[in-house]
Amino acid sequence: MTGAGQGVGQGIAAALATEGADIAVLGRTPAKLETTCALLRERGVRAEAFAFDVSDIAGVPGVVEAVAERLGGIDILVNNAYSGAFGRLLELSDEQFQRGFVSGPFATMAMMRACHPHLARSGNGHVVNLVTSAMVRWDPTTYGPYAAAKQAVRSLTRTAAVEWARDGIRVNCIAPHALSPGLEAWTKAFPEEAAEFVATIPAGRIGDCEDDIGRAVVALVGDDLRYLTGATLPLDGGQALFG
């Protein structure tokens, strides 16, 4: 699982661990990875930390093979890591715009391709790619690069779902909205703005990283949804309208 050091990634990892899944925790910050691993080990599973930046596309096959060797295979791939810029289109440099595509669709593609033989070997492989409701946001101002990169991930997801279905691999997206550390800090720093934002969520609250997002992923990779592939599930309390 990429981007598992905190927030939504950590919540998904915790929920999967509760169901007995051993977890490879990938991310850029070793201290955060170890914190997540400690949390997962308390739930009785094996958790291994791999300090890795998904923007290192050439290094993806190597880290995937290291994960498969250490854990004995790969049954589920969760692509959560993303590092990109936000801002108005005319204010962004080429480098800032491209950064999100490298850590987004380029990294997602590399991880999926490297994991494919392991997922196919398992006979019941799953890929969960994280996208965003910014793709369908009523006002995309400053979200342009982020939304564009995630739309590319969504398109890759649909294609992989179709091409790999006969390999026994299901590929889906989730578009989560949850109280990550960054969002939590913002809500505390700007309580009035946060209250206005929460008012736009029909459910009336911001989601929990584990209970609302992680548990949904558990369901998504479970047998009850075995006929679902190529889908995008909005996990945002009804805020976004996906067509």
Side-chain angles (χ1 to χ4, degrees):
M1 163 146 199
T2 72
Q6 63 181 5
V8 170
Q10 186 182 78
I12 294 172
L16 290 170
T18 298
E19 300 301 314
D22 295 331
I23 310 287
V25 181
L26 278 68
R28 295 181 298 180
T29 309
K32 292 180 179 179
L33 301 181
E34 290 302 333
T35 297
T36 297
C37 284
L39 171 67
L40 302 181
R41 290 167 187 150
E42 289 177 357
R43 304 191 183 202
V45 302
R46 184 176 178 185
E48 300 286 346
F50 294 82
F52 183 72
D53 184 342
V54 297
S55 296
D56 176 15
I57 304 299
V60 167
V63 75
V64 166
E65 291 308 309
V67 167
E69 181 176 355
R70 196 177 303 181
L71 293 182
I74 299 173
D75 302 308
I76 302 169
L77 167 64
V78 179
N79 283 305
N80 173 56
Y82 174 83
S83 177
F86 294 84
R88 293 177 178 271
L89 298 181
L90 294 179
E91 298 170 355
L92 292 167
S93 68
D94 289 344
E95 187 278 330
Q96 287 176 313
F97 184 75
Q98 293 166 9
R99 189 193 314 157
F101 276 80
V102 173
S103 65
F106 279 73
T108 297
M109 177 67 167
M111 291 295 298
M112 289 197 302
R113 290 179 64 175
C115 287
H116 176 273
H118 303 286
L119 297 170
R121 193 174 301 121
S122 79
N124 187 29
H126 302 276
V127 178
V128 179
N129 293 326
L130 274 74
V131 292
T132 175
S133 60
M135 300 183 305
V136 295
R137 187 176 173 84
W138 62 94
D139 178 6
T141 302
T142 76
Y143 289 96
Y146 179 47
K150 290 297 188 175
Q151 280 283 21
V153 171
R154 189 184 187 193
S155 181
L156 284 173
T157 299
R158 173 62 183 166
T159 302
V162 173
E163 292 185 356
W164 298 354
R166 298 300 177 90
D167 298 327
I169 302 171
R170 292 199 288 115
V171 190
N172 290 291
C173 289
I174 62 170
H177 184 255
L179 199 61
S180 64
L183 182 56
E184 183 175 16
W186 178 78
T187 60
K188 291 178 178 178
F190 305 98
E192 292 184 4
E193 291 88 340
E196 293 176 0
F197 177 72
V198 171
T200 69
I201 304 172
R205 63 181 178 84
I206 299 173
D208 180 82
C209 292
E210 180 178 353
D211 293 340
D212 294 315
I213 310 306
R215 295 307 306 174
V217 172
V218 168
L220 187 59
V221 302
D223 288 341
D224 287 344
L225 293 177
R226 65 184 183 180
Y227 202 48
L228 181 68
T229 193
T232 298
L233 299 183
L235 302 174
D236 61 2
Q239 186 185 48
L241 177 60
F242 279 80

